[in-house]
Amino acid sequence: MAEGTRLLDAGEIMRARVAVAEFVSTTPLEPARWLSTMAGRQVFLKCEHRQRTGSFKIRGALAKISTLPPDTRGVVTASAGNHAQGVALAARRRGIRAVVFMPRSASAAKVRATQSYGAEVRLEGDSVEEAMAAARSLAAADGLAYVHPFDDRCVIAGQGTLGVELVEQLRSLGLDSLGTVVVPVGGGGLIAGVAAALKAVDPGARVVGVQALGAASVVESLRQGRPVRVEVRTVADGIAVSAPSELTLAHVAELVDEVVVVDDAEITRAMVLLLERQKALVEPAGAVGVAAVLAGEIDADRITVVLSGGNVDLLLLSHLIEHGLSAAGRYLRLRALLPDRPGALARLAAIFGELGVNIVEVEHHRAGAPVGVDEVEVTVTAESRGPEESAEVLAALQRAGIRVERW
């Protein structure tokens, strides 16, 4: 293995732990009984979304900045948001300048949060990669230290402190093994550090990475044996990285047992259930592990899922919740053809009322709809308790002679 891709050893991670110990919070490890029941296996949640700055990224940023020479004038980085906040806060603690490049599409909430930690934010490019190029240029021009989000041994070691913490928490429960630990992937910095920490203590521990379907760069890279760039399209902006680095890919290839993929509907459904059942606000990237458990992608008797972050714009959150409710079968949308005469709509609405299902929106369509001269098309959106109730509504409408279909 080339020196540039040499795997981290336990000593590097423990040095990082000393560097971050005074400032990083020990986040809770909680049982998820509702998820255990749904999945049919024991599930714990590592609540890193409660970390300072709202994500694990502060660990790597602190570890890296702690190693910079005393005469360092400042740091520069690029990020969609979580790494940006970690670097901003770590730089403020060190008392040095921080410049953060973020893509123009970055969440307004993450931009404001980064600025609140004292960083200068510059919006540049349409992707994290374009923001990275601008950050590197400024680092070279102004003599600033560049802090990469994941392609850096010190950053990975800092993320690995989460793994050390997790080992201690699982061992405190009297468990005979670490079991299976599920970690979001993205650029690979978190899973590389966590896997290195876990395998150093328990080589039999199983580490599973989760990638968003619209950003499955690690999956494709593992297939081809080298970092491969993919087009990124996913709601999980925190792991929306088009390619891993050679360093993180080497760790995943050597230490991670499996990488699975979940889609946006599965991610938003997981977010809704975390809010509703765990009372946990977790961003899309942080919820991918729970999405994988719910999708049946994780084959293990005991699972620990890392909830890696909780930073999500509230305006975006409303859209994500609606999407997640639809994915979970909590909204019923249907199209019905009714006779164009008085009482037809009331008859349809009465069936919903008899079943105790609330209608939230109704639209009538005559012009432009594929209906007869004496018909009207009606689209209905209703609240549902789940797929079973939706099926019951459809069956009742059909028994009443109403032509209806889901849409």
Side-chain angles (χ1 to χ4, degrees), residues 243-255:
S245 68
E246 291 186 0
L247 178 59
T248 56
L249 183 61
H251 282 76
V252 173
E254 185 69 23
L255 301 175

Side-chain angles (χ1 to χ4, degrees), residues 109-342:
K110 291 183 179 181
V111 170
R112 289 193 298 269
T114 304
Q115 291 170 329
S116 75
Y117 293 127
E120 174 190 345
V121 174
R122 302 186 187 183
L123 300 180
E124 186 79 29
D126 297 321
S127 66
V128 174
E129 284 72 22
E130 291 179 7
M132 283 182 181
R136 288 192 183 97
S137 294
L138 182 66
D142 284 16
L144 304 177
Y146 179 62
V147 183
H148 196 284
F150 53 86
D151 189 24
D152 186 289
R153 298 186 69 84
C154 292
V155 170
I156 295 172
Q159 320 306 23
T161 64
L162 187 155
V164 176
E165 195 174 289
L166 185 54
V167 168
E168 294 172 350
Q169 291 173 316
L170 288 169
R171 288 285 167 82
S172 72
L173 298 175
L175 301 173
D176 57 355
S177 71
L178 300 180
T180 295
V181 179
V182 181
V183 188
V185 177
L190 175 62
I191 196 167
V194 169
L198 296 179
K199 298 284 187 174
V201 173
D202 181 2
R206 187 162 174 263
V207 181
V208 177
V210 187
Q211 193 92 337
L213 179 61
S217 58
V218 166
V219 175
E220 189 58 33
S221 298
L222 287 170
R223 287 178 183 147
Q224 299 195 29
R226 60 184 178 82
V228 174
R229 192 170 299 277
V230 302
E231 182 181 1
V232 175
R233 302 180 72 87
T234 175
V235 298
D237 65 329
I239 54 174
V241 177
S242 63
S245 68
E246 291 186 0
L247 178 59
T248 56
L249 183 61
H251 282 76
V252 173
E254 185 69 23
L255 301 175
V256 175
D257 298 274
E258 185 181 6
V259 177
V260 301
V261 176
V262 292
D263 62 29
D264 282 356
E266 291 165 333
I267 294 169
T268 54
R269 177 182 177 232
M271 289 180 64
V272 167
L273 287 169
L274 282 163
L275 271 171
E276 187 175 58
R277 305 298 298 275
Q278 196 73 23
K279 315 308 177 193
L281 176 57
V282 180
E283 64 185 280
V288 294
V290 171
V293 173
L294 289 167
E297 296 287 346
I298 313 298
D299 184 17
D301 293 331
R302 188 177 73 249
I303 303 168
T304 301
V305 179
V306 176
L307 305 179
S308 58
N311 293 318
V312 57
D313 183 272
L314 293 181
L315 186 60
L316 174 62
L317 179 63
S318 66
H319 297 300
L320 293 173
I321 289 174
E322 183 175 349
H323 190 274
L325 288 170
S326 296
R330 302 285 290 278
Y331 278 129
L332 170 62
R333 292 185 172 93
L334 55 83
R335 179 184 293 111
L337 290 180
L338 301 178
D340 191 11
R341 59 174 180 264

